[in-house]
Amino acid sequence: MSASVRLVFGDAREWRYIVASLAALVDEANFTIDPSGMRLRALDPSRIAMVDFNLPASAFEEFSCEEEVKIGVNFDELNKVMKRGRADERVILEVVGGRLRISIGGKAERSFSLPVIDIAGEELPLPKLNFTVRAKMLSDTLKDAIKDAELVSDSVSFDAKEDYLRVYAHSDKGEVEVKFTIDTGSLIEYEVDEPSRSTYPISYLSDMLKRAANLSDIAGIEFATDKPLLLSFELAGGGRLSYFLAPRLEA
């Protein structure tokens, strides 16, 4: 890899949260870096979910990249390194001799080096979906609802009517229902083209929200009946983190 890459991110804790949010789904994947910024799109190993991440060059304190470069990383190892970062430190990412060097600078500068992995394959296209429900709510509010549903089931249904969005789970253990409305303030934005209902695996939603809620106070939810769900978060600096999750079709 001959191209020179040097990226400086001003908040090591926020970068740690970004890495953790990606590691929630993928084991290994390519960061694609070009003069416009950084992006990543990958499927989880079971191909049930996809993550799509982008961060513009302007979000970095320093961004040096003259041509497109792909940096394949093991996210378990990168996540371990970034857990060492704090909010009062900055992160420097450089590719040196076929390795990714991560420097975390505060009172002392610490450097870590990870191998760059050769990950073959074309960049995945985004799913083409027509959503009938679009909502925005506080990330923590949605995270709490999924935690409630997790008490009784391993799947959760999103049920959208004209004036409310319902999160519902049931099993032999019991039932859980959480309703969100504009009137109560639990929904910030809400659009419904038609009544819609779809069911998704809780473990994926829990992992996504546990990590991404640290990055954005607001979560966007879009879905349609028995179609994939889009869970999205706007990031500081103009970036975006999105998850697509396949539905669990009920018999």
Side-chain angles (χ1 to χ4, degrees), residues 129-185:
L129 299 167
N130 293 316
F131 298 112
T132 54
V133 180
R134 292 163 292 278
K136 287 187 178 180
M137 66 176 68
L138 292 176
S139 301
D140 284 342
T141 301
L142 179 58
K143 183 169 69 172
D144 285 343
I146 298 303
K147 283 183 178 179
D148 291 340
E150 201 169 14
L151 295 175
V152 301
S153 182
D154 61 0
S155 63
V156 61
S157 297
F158 287 77
D159 181 21
K161 297 293 192 291
E162 182 179 352
D163 56 350
Y164 68 82
L165 174 63
R166 182 177 73 133
V167 170
Y168 176 73
H170 67 96
S171 71
D172 293 341
K173 295 179 182 178
E175 298 182 5
V176 170
E177 179 183 88
V178 184
K179 275 190 176 181
F180 306 100
T181 68
I182 289 287
D183 290 343
T184 61

Side-chain angles (χ1 to χ4, degrees), residues 127 129-134 193 222-224 227-230 244:
L129 299 167
N130 293 316
F131 298 112
T132 54
V133 180
R134 292 163 292 278
D193 297 336
E222 299 177 66
F223 69 97
K227 300 295 183 184
L229 176 138
L230 169 58
F244 294 86

Side-chain angles (χ1 to χ4, degrees), residues 89-230:
E89 298 177 317
R90 66 178 190 164
V91 180
I92 302 171
L93 305 174
E94 299 172 286
V95 177
V96 180
R99 298 182 70 84
L100 176 62
R101 185 166 69 193
I102 305 126
S103 302
I104 302 175
K107 293 180 180 178
E109 183 166 305
R110 296 163 286 152
S111 293
F112 306 84
S113 177
L114 298 177
V116 172
I117 303 169
D118 185 13
I119 302 174
E122 296 295 320
E123 188 166 306
L124 298 166
L126 281 177
K128 295 181 179 179
L129 299 167
N130 293 316
F131 298 112
T132 54
V133 180
R134 292 163 292 278
K136 287 187 178 180
M137 66 176 68
L138 292 176
S139 301
D140 284 342
T141 301
L142 179 58
K143 183 169 69 172
D144 285 343
I146 298 303
K147 283 183 178 179
D148 291 340
E150 201 169 14
L151 295 175
V152 301
S153 182
D154 61 0
S155 63
V156 61
S157 297
F158 287 77
D159 181 21
K161 297 293 192 291
E162 182 179 352
D163 56 350
Y164 68 82
L165 174 63
R166 182 177 73 133
V167 170
Y168 176 73
H170 67 96
S171 71
D172 293 341
K173 295 179 182 178
E175 298 182 5
V176 170
E177 179 183 88
V178 184
K179 275 190 176 181
F180 306 100
T181 68
I182 289 287
D183 290 343
T184 61
S186 53
L187 289 176
I188 298 169
E189 296 179 12
Y190 190 51
E191 295 179 29
V192 180
D193 297 336
E194 62 186 48
S196 306
R197 186 177 188 275
S198 195
T199 301
Y200 304 96
I202 282 182
S203 60
Y204 280 85
L205 287 168
S206 179
D207 284 346
M208 294 168 183
L209 285 160
K210 187 186 303 180
R211 293 159 176 83
N214 292 316
L215 288 168
S216 178
D217 292 336
I218 307 297
I221 306 166
E222 299 177 66
F223 69 97
T225 296
D226 294 337
K227 300 295 183 184
L229 176 138
L230 169 58

